[in-house]
Amino acid sequence: MKQVLLYALMLTAVEMQAQDLPAPVRLELKGTRSWIKVSWNNQAGKTGYNVYWSTSRQKPAVPAATLPANSSQYYIQDVTPGARYNVWVEAVNGSQHSKAATGNVAAASQWTIEPNADKQLDIASSAAVPEGMKVFWHDEFNDLLLDRNKWHTQYYSNIDFLKKENLTEMRNDTLPEAAYTLNGNTITIFTNDSLPAKAWYPNGRKISSIQTYDWGKNENLLDNSRGGYFEVRVKRSFTGKPQGLNTAYWFDSPGPDLKYYLQEGTTLEGTTGVRPKGQVFEIDVFENLDAQFVLHGHVDNHGEFVHNLATHIAEGIEHKDKWVTHGILWTPTSIKHYINGKLIKEYTDKHQIYSPNHFMNVFLGSYGGGGSVSMEVDYIRGYQWPLEDGNELPNPGFEANNNLLPWEGNGTLATTTRHSGGHALLLQPGQEIAQYVYLNNDQPYKLEYWQQGNSQLLATVENMKLVTGDLQQAATNTTSGKGAFSKEQLLFRSGKEFGNNMKTVKITFRNTGNSPVVIDDITIRKK
């Protein structure tokens, strides 16, 4: 009887002790090539937290970090890219520790977008975002460290390579590092008398810049080769009288040489240009402390930069110390400029197409010598038309919006007759609809579509020549529809371009009969 009573007392003491222990924390992990962010729910009444990590499954005996009571996150730095880390976090209450919350995450070398990213943005993008486009890349700058899966921090560009400025430093990976701070909500990219520690130019002018392509490593972190809509929200400032004052959001052709800067037919120091005359090699969405938009591309046959292809300035907008949203819509045949959601200028001439057909290096930077220059960035976001299940055609079922974008023509949405979903496209006799689309070059493709109606439908595929917009027929097919939907197909090959550059292809459907035609569920897939 005494033994039973003693055992019961021992159990009661253990239960009381267990009730006094901190509850386990809930753990969230985010891994990049340079750091791992560990987040947890802060628990009231706790005296601190212990954080452990290891590339093995064995929990270390001693915590690698001991944090105060108000902590809810920690950054594990100097990680090995690609390695998988096990992480443990304990809540501490005096001498007592909770059961460790544990998780594992890879120090991922490449960034991937989170599911439903459009619904997780802290502040809404402007009204300039085309309806139906989705976020495919973005940075909200909500961490305390820069995400090096998205950004490089050593500035370099085509013009620098052309002039051989800091060429040795670029090749030796000793270029000046950008100066910036993050506060968990924004990033401020700046220059002042102290930072960057090394000036870019002999006259003392400094450059702080982050960008998506690294010339020295020839590494691209953002595949934007299909274009899209790109938007930043920034506040730009300066103090004193900085020489060469500049703040810039711009796109530049990549390296590691000058082939995208030089025009076709020009060879300079062993590099032959691949850029057709009239195509941009650089797009400045804004520079200086105003809203000058510049399309650069006029280079002579000796490789000398001559002039821009086009430029304009948006008047009447205050920029210094003001939050302003800047956007650019880059399509296969046009470039459009927006400020605060308003269209400022569009370049849409299909016989003078400035659009690049390859990925572009995206820059955010501040420039100056003496005084200080700064650009605070709330976010940068890239939107594209979503492509699903190997289909490379945007808005293939006419479900993305009510204005048919990015289709062009005089067809109308059909809601009563459709093959699937809530919409199809209705073409009356003589009407047509077309879309210019970026495809991989020199590849076999299959165009498939569903057709309904007792009329003839002409489907045409044409390869487009860069800049001039001249079209060369790749395939055509005339089909007679029926009362029910029937599936049709057309085989074609995309035209050839340099390397992995994209090929612009025009897809056209025209009702050549005497009765209405409905088309739906169009796909373009590699054969």
Side-chain angles (χ1 to χ4, degrees), residues 214-353:
D214 185 279
W215 274 73
K217 300 180 179 67
N218 190 25
E219 182 184 24
N220 180 41
L221 300 177
L222 170 60
D223 181 8
N224 53 15
S225 55
R226 293 182 188 267
Y229 176 76
F230 301 87
E231 180 173 285
V232 297
R233 183 171 183 261
V234 300
K235 181 167 64 174
R236 299 182 277 166
S237 307
F238 70 92
T239 63
K241 297 181 179 180
Q243 61 170 320
L245 167 64
N246 189 21
T247 53
Y249 164 44
W250 58 296
F251 294 64
D252 191 35
S253 295
D257 52 36
L258 294 176
K259 61 179 171 289
Y260 288 115
Y261 165 82
L262 299 171
Q263 291 181 170
E264 290 175 332
T266 300
T267 298
L268 182 65
E269 297 181 359
T271 297
T272 300
V274 300
R275 181 178 60 87
K277 182 179 180 180
Q279 186 186 61
V280 298
F281 71 82
E282 175 183 328
I283 304 171
D284 300 331
V285 185
F286 65 72
E287 283 193 306
N288 305 316
L289 212 66
D290 55 25
Q292 184 172 10
F293 185 97
V294 188
L295 301 175
H296 284 297
H298 190 179
V299 177
D300 68 19
N301 57 8
H302 300 291
E304 291 293 323
F305 175 73
V306 179
H307 203 264
N308 61 61
L309 296 170
T311 185
H312 65 269
I313 298 179
E315 304 289 352
I317 301 171
E318 184 71 26
H319 293 281
K320 186 175 187 294
D321 300 321
K322 302 292 185 182
W323 284 106
V324 181
T325 300
H326 302 259
I328 175 176
L329 178 61
W330 154 19
T331 81
T333 60
S334 67
I335 293 176
K336 300 182 181 182
H337 175 212
Y338 298 82
I339 296 181
N340 293 331
K342 178 183 177 181
L343 177 63
I344 303 299
K345 177 78 172 180
E346 56 184 349
Y347 299 91
T348 58
D349 185 349
K350 288 189 173 62
H351 298 291
Q352 176 49 72
I353 299 170

Side-chain angles (χ1 to χ4, degrees), residues 80-95:
T80 302
R84 181 162 290 275
Y85 286 77
N86 290 285
V87 180
W88 299 262
V89 176
E90 298 173 338
V92 179
N93 192 356
S95 62

